[in-house]
């Protein structure tokens, strides 16, 4: 008979644990459902934005660091529509392929010029540059390819529209300039 009360205590504790587990289970289930509902609404919002995005005008890529200018300092940025032009894309592809061919023995693979050439480690093998200025990077690479007579054919007459941001008297001023990367090649 001494064993009976212990069993009943164990049964009672097991019943409490089941109640606790079911309560926690319900609470956890509620939290999971709320999280899933939030994910669904976020996904729906993202879908709406994706559908409406092509209809809205594309703003110029201006990063916060590009607006932090010293007096009379300039920054240049390629306008988004210029980045989509076929000749520009061809130029970037040819240059990336050339860099990858030259640096294959170094086990270096360049995928995007801005990101992969930013810190200068890749360019250190070719020369060097230390800003994420795509205009400067492209001018440097075209000059390097021409100077070293790289066995590539650069597309002719590649130019882009560039936004020049200059700070004068504490005010940011912008202008648009055509930047030519290549002309005719012999």
């Amino acid at each position: 008979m001494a064993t009976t009360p212990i069993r009943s205590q164990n049964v009672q504790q097991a019943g409490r644990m089941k109640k606790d587990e079911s309560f926690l289970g319900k609470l956890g289930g509620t939290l999971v459902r709320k999280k899933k509902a939030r994910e669904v609404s976020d996904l729906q919002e993202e879908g709406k934005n994706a559908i409406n995005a092509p209809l809205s005008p594309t703003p110029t890529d201006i990063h916060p660091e590009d607006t932090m200018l010293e007096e009379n300092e300039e920054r240049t940025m390629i306008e988004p529509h210029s980045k989509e032009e076929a000749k520009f894309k061809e130029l970037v592809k040819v240059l990336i392929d050339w860099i990858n061919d030259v640096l294959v023995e170094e086990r270096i693979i360049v995928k995007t010029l801005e990101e992969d050439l930013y810190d200068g480690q890749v360019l250190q093998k070719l020369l060097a540059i230390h800003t994420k200025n795509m205009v400067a990077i492209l001018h440097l690479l075209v000059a390097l390819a021409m100077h070293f007579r790289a066995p590539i054919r650069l597309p002719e007459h590649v130019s882009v529209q560039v936004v020049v941001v200059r700070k004068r008297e504490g005010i940011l001023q912008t202008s648009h300039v055509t930047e030519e990367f290549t002309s005719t090649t012999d």
Side-chain angles (χ1 to χ4, degrees), residues 114-129:
E114 276 178 307
E115 294 300 321
D116 294 337
L117 297 170
Y118 166 67
D119 62 3
Q121 291 181 2
V122 172
L123 282 176
Q124 183 178 7
K125 303 294 181 180
L126 301 170
L127 213 49
I129 192 166

Side-chain angles (χ1 to χ4, degrees), residues 58-169:
T58 55
T60 304
D61 266 347
I62 297 181
H63 302 286
E65 64 268 10
D66 293 332
T67 59
M68 303 298 287
L69 301 174
E70 296 295 323
E71 194 63 33
N72 291 325
E73 185 180 2
E74 288 185 3
R75 296 274 163 76
T76 56
M77 296 154 276
I78 298 174
E79 289 186 352
H81 69 85
S82 289
K83 286 183 177 181
E84 298 303 317
E85 291 182 14
K87 285 186 176 183
F88 177 78
K89 286 182 174 185
E90 182 184 356
L91 173 65
V92 171
K93 184 186 180 323
V94 167
L95 291 170
I96 288 174
D97 291 344
W98 171 62
I99 292 169
N100 287 333
D101 287 343
V102 170
L103 300 177
V104 71
E105 292 177 11
E106 301 284 333
R107 296 184 186 160
I108 295 173
I109 297 174
V110 173
K111 292 182 181 177
T112 62
L113 294 178
E114 276 178 307
E115 294 300 321
D116 294 337
L117 297 170
Y118 166 67
D119 62 3
Q121 291 181 2
V122 172
L123 282 176
Q124 183 178 7
K125 303 294 181 180
L126 301 170
L127 213 49
I129 192 166
H130 296 288
T131 65
K132 281 189 178 181
N133 187 333
M134 186 66 161
V135 175
I137 291 170
L138 287 172
H139 277 297
L140 175 65
L141 292 174
V142 168
L144 284 171
M146 291 172 67
H147 177 76
F148 293 112
R149 298 177 187 205
I152 58 174
R153 181 167 173 81
L154 297 174
E156 296 182 350
H157 304 292
V158 177
S159 61
V160 294
Q161 289 296 312
V162 174
V163 178
V164 179
V165 181
R166 176 178 290 144
K167 188 174 186 178
R168 287 208 176 149
E169 300 176 359

